[in-house]
Each structure stands twice: as structure tokens, then as C-alpha cells.
Amino acid sequence: MAIDVHVHMRGGEEGEAILKAMDEVGLERVVLFAVPPHRAMREGKKPPKDAHRQSIDDIARVVAPDTERLIGFAWVEPPLPDAVEGLDYALGEKGLKGVKMIPNHWYPADERAQACYKKVEEYGRPMLFHTGILWGLSDTSQYCRPAFFEIMLHYPGIRFAMAHMSWPWTDECMAVNGKFKENQEGEWTSYVDITSGAPRIWKVEALRKALCYLGDKHLVYGSDCNLPRGADYAALRLREDTEMLREAGASDETVERVMGKNALRWLGIE
Ligand SMILES: [Zn+2]
């Protein structure tokens, strides 16, 4: 049974239906991202004052049927005025397990983002950042270059994952992770989320390099699917990513780590 650390909510999903889809696909646990609080902004409208609260309430409702298997992450947008307050609400009152962000016309070292990291660090929760090229949101890929995430060296209390292996900047992603590995005392805090984006020809090569350079304990599996609607895609990703790991030279033990065990450590569950 696998753990998928990269599942998107679109709004209106029901936890029970997601659990059923997980059983069919063969997923033990999933990390579910809240609907972006700034969705209205993307549509050219002004976001409501309580944009974070609405999105947090919704994800808390979705995960309520089983908070062990359904791991709720708040989606926080630092430029919105209620970002830090939203974090307190999500991680404190609502008991969500972590935080997802996409640097969207702000850099990872932005002061508003750092105010958020400080709060997340107080709670000792993990984070997941979109990194690499971004198809949506117009000209925003430039904010998601892997090297910018070196800022997280200043937040050693946050275990964070870099999604999509930062494709197409996979080498830069490995180098940054290598720097965390070498620079931090004890267990290093960066993880590579191998969620697709990279076409197979790049991905297999990147996985081979990652396993060789970083070892197999800091890679986590994700699909970028929506559940329950995208259950077929979730199953396809699970199958293809396992195949690609094999092609990259992974042993049974390595596949088991990447497909689940590492996620537990990143999430602070084991
Ligand atoms: Zn995603």
C-alpha cells in the first residue's frame, strides 16, 4: 500500500468517497491539498477577507471521516492579509497536518512568506512547495526555481518537499537537496516529491541521479491527481512511477521507501 503526497481538492469533495477510491487504487494514505484560497484572485476577482478560513474549513470537513488516512494540508498564499492568521487556524484549531504553497509572483524568500514559515516552524509541521515550471498562473515559473528554496536552511524545524523534482531544473533540485544533506546536522530537512511533470525520458534519468546522489530516504511519491474523480489517473501514476523507479535501478526496499515509508518520516508520523 502506497502513500500519495500530492492530491488536489477542487472543492465539494467528500472524504468517504475519497477513502473508497483509495481502497480501489491501493493507497494507504493521501495528502490532500485544500482549494487555493486565492482562487478568486486567479479568476480576476478580489479574494474574500476570510479566503483562508473558507479553504481551511473545507479541507477540514473533507478529512474529518478519517484524519489518519486523509492528511489535510492547508494551502496558504502569503501575500493575502490573513495568511499567518490562517496558519494558526489551520494548524492549531483545525489540526491540519501541513502546508502547501506555490510561489506565485512572490519569491520563496519574500518577507511575507518568511512570516508564514516562522509560524509553521512553531507548529513543527511539514510543507510542500510547487517547484519547477508551472503551466498555469501565467509567467510564474521563474519564482519556482529550486535554488530559491535555500531560504529553508534558515528554518531547520520545517521538513519540506520540492514538488515535481523541480522539472525541468531537476539537476538544480538535486544540487539544492545535496546542499541540505551536507550542511544540516543530523537528519536533513529537504525532500524531493517525485510527482510527475517531467516526461518519462527525463524522469527516469532524474530518478536515477537522485537515487545515486541523495540515496533513497528523501524521495516521496505523489500523483497530482484529484480524488475521487481522478482515481484512474491515480492508479496509472502508481503503476508507471513504480515502473520508472525500477527502470532507474530501485530495489524492492527502495520502492517501498519512496512509495510510502519516506512520506511517514516527512509527515512526522514515524
Ligand atoms: Zn500539484
Side-chain angles (χ1 to χ4, degrees), residues 6-8 33 75 100 102 128 130 134 163-164 193 195-196 223-225:
H6 199 129
V7 178
H8 285 274
F33 304 145
W75 187 321
K100 144 95 176 177
I102 293 185
L128 187 142
H130 174 91
L134 190 61
H164 309 286
D193 161 12
T195 293
S196 275
S223 69
D224 218 359
C225 74

Side-chain angles (χ1 to χ4, degrees), residues 26 40 60 91 95 99 116 136 158 172 191 195 201 205 219 222 234 242 247 270:
L91 304 179
V99 178
C116 291
I158 301 175
E172 189 175 313
Y191 284 74
T195 293
I201 188 167
E205 186 191 279
L219 306 185
T242 305
E247 215 176 309
E270 275 174 17

Side-chain angles (χ1 to χ4, degrees), residues 53-118:
R53 256 178 199 258
Q54 286 186 19
S55 128
I56 290 159
D57 282 341
D58 189 58
I59 190 69
R61 175 192 61 77
V62 173
V63 301
D66 188 340
T67 52
E68 277 189 19
R69 295 186 70 198
L70 306 173
I71 300 165
F73 268 41
W75 187 321
V76 172
E77 176 65 4
L80 293 182
D82 64 336
V84 175
E85 192 192 315
L87 278 168
D88 253 334
Y89 182 59
L91 304 179
E93 204 172 324
K94 289 288 168 179
L96 294 182
K97 304 282 169 58
V99 178
K100 144 95 176 177
M101 287 185 188
I102 293 185
N104 172 19
H105 293 88
W106 50 267
Y107 287 100
D110 189 301
E111 278 179 22
R112 296 164 297 180
Q114 292 201 56
C116 291
Y117 309 154
K118 282 192 190 102

